[in-house]
Amino acid sequence: MQDLSEIPLFADLPKDVSEKFARSCSWRDYGEHELVIDIEDDSTDVRFVVSGSVRIIVRIAVGKEVILGEMGEGSFFGEISAIDGSPRSANVTTLTRARICTMPSSVFQTVLREEPDIAMKILIMFAGRVRSLNMRLAEHSFLQAKHRLYSELLRLSKTRAANPKHRIVSPPPTQRELAERIGTRREVVSRELNALERAGHIEKAKGGIIIANVGELQHRISEGWEGA
């Protein structure tokens, strides 16, 4: 019998409890770039990414899109609608082939009531998201687009194995994706990336965008806040 042990949130549940909740869940395989849920969808279940990755996008009335982020194996989404019963607030599409577990909202609410350790993990996750969204809101309110780009590059980056003093954004996002992340035009992103490259602060490689001068980007971000 299938249980929920492959999902990190439920990894510590006793096997019989895991199997009990799993009986009400379903598993589905998705192809690359396939729609999982759409904004304003009235479904209220929670989706767990068992394998693969998805992208979260918000669309506004004038047709523009803002990328909120990506989620990989072990992540989950849809918990807000499962809790308050409101329509979906974002679009979720797979980036790769993915396997997703769907848990009905009634079961998710039962888990929260009966398993306080899991409820606490959810609260900690919510706290992290609120902090992140508060920072993004402040950036959009006070920073120019170029400073938001520097912040986003650093957020997306990880330490480069070949040179620990460098960071790398890999796989490299397109200029359009970066623009949608920071709420600006692709042309703005293109201009700033080219300027950073000419100055030697970043390098565009096949495997990603290498940030060769992390301190310079951090300094520019600080200047942006000082001038806000």
Side-chain angles (χ1 to χ4, degrees):
M1 178 181 292
Q2 193 157 22
D3 60 27
L4 301 174
S5 59
E6 58 189 338
I7 300 171
L9 182 65
F10 306 117
D12 296 330
L13 285 178
K15 187 174 180 59
D16 60 329
V17 176
S18 180
E19 290 178 347
K20 179 186 73 172
F21 291 132
R23 282 194 286 270
S24 300
C25 299
S26 60
W27 280 257
R28 177 181 165 184
D29 294 318
Y30 289 82
E32 186 178 358
H33 303 308
E34 186 173 349
L35 179 68
V36 181
I37 58 175
D38 204 358
I39 193 167
E40 298 298 329
D41 190 316
D42 59 4
S43 61
T44 57
D45 43 50
V46 184
R47 313 287 178 97
F48 298 88
V49 183
V50 179
S51 63
S53 59
V54 300
R55 170 169 288 163
I56 317 298
I57 298 173
V58 169
R59 294 194 188 98
I60 58 178
V62 294
K64 292 186 177 181
E65 294 183 346
V66 176
I67 298 175
L68 294 184
E70 287 83 31
M71 292 185 172
E73 183 175 323
S75 302
F76 56 95
F77 54 92
E79 70 286 340
I80 295 177
S81 291
I83 292 171
D84 66 10
S86 298
R88 303 294 191 183
S89 58
N91 167 290
V92 182
T93 305
T94 59
L95 287 173
T96 64
R97 293 176 61 85
R99 184 167 178 77
I100 293 178
C101 171
T102 298
M103 175 179 285
S105 59
S106 59
V107 178
F108 183 70
Q109 291 177 14
T110 298
V111 172
L112 296 182
R113 287 193 297 268
E114 297 183 359
E115 303 294 334
D117 288 344
I118 290 179
M120 180 55 67
K121 290 180 182 179
I122 299 291
L123 288 174
I124 292 172
M125 180 273 295
F126 272 138
R129 288 187 184 176
V130 169
R131 292 180 188 275
S132 177
L133 288 172
N134 283 345
M135 176 55 69
R136 285 175 176 269
L137 177 61
E139 289 178 355
H140 278 267
S141 298
F142 300 112
L143 294 184
Q144 297 178 36
K146 61 182 181 180
H147 299 113
R148 300 201 302 272
L149 175 61
Y150 307 150
S151 292
E152 193 65 21
L153 288 173
L154 290 176
R155 258 194 298 267
L156 293 173
S157 67
K158 58 186 177 183
T159 300
R160 190 184 179 204
N163 187 338
K165 293 183 179 180
H166 292 177
R167 297 186 68 81
I168 185 169
V169 182
S170 181
T174 66
Q175 293 178 359
R176 178 182 175 184
E177 288 172 344
L178 284 171
E180 289 175 348
R181 284 177 175 276
I182 64 173
T184 191
R185 303 187 312 278
R186 186 196 62 79
E187 293 78 11
V188 173
V189 171
S190 177
R191 182 176 65 247
E192 292 301 327
L193 288 178
N194 288 336
L196 289 172
E197 187 175 25
R198 286 194 301 271
H201 301 317
I202 68 168
E203 302 170 16
K204 296 176 184 176
K206 184 177 180 180
I209 299 173
I210 299 168
I211 303 176
N213 194 339
V214 175
E216 175 62 22
L217 265 64
Q218 292 172 333
H219 175 68
R220 292 187 181 194
I221 294 168
S222 295
E223 286 187 331
W225 283 114
E226 291 172 1

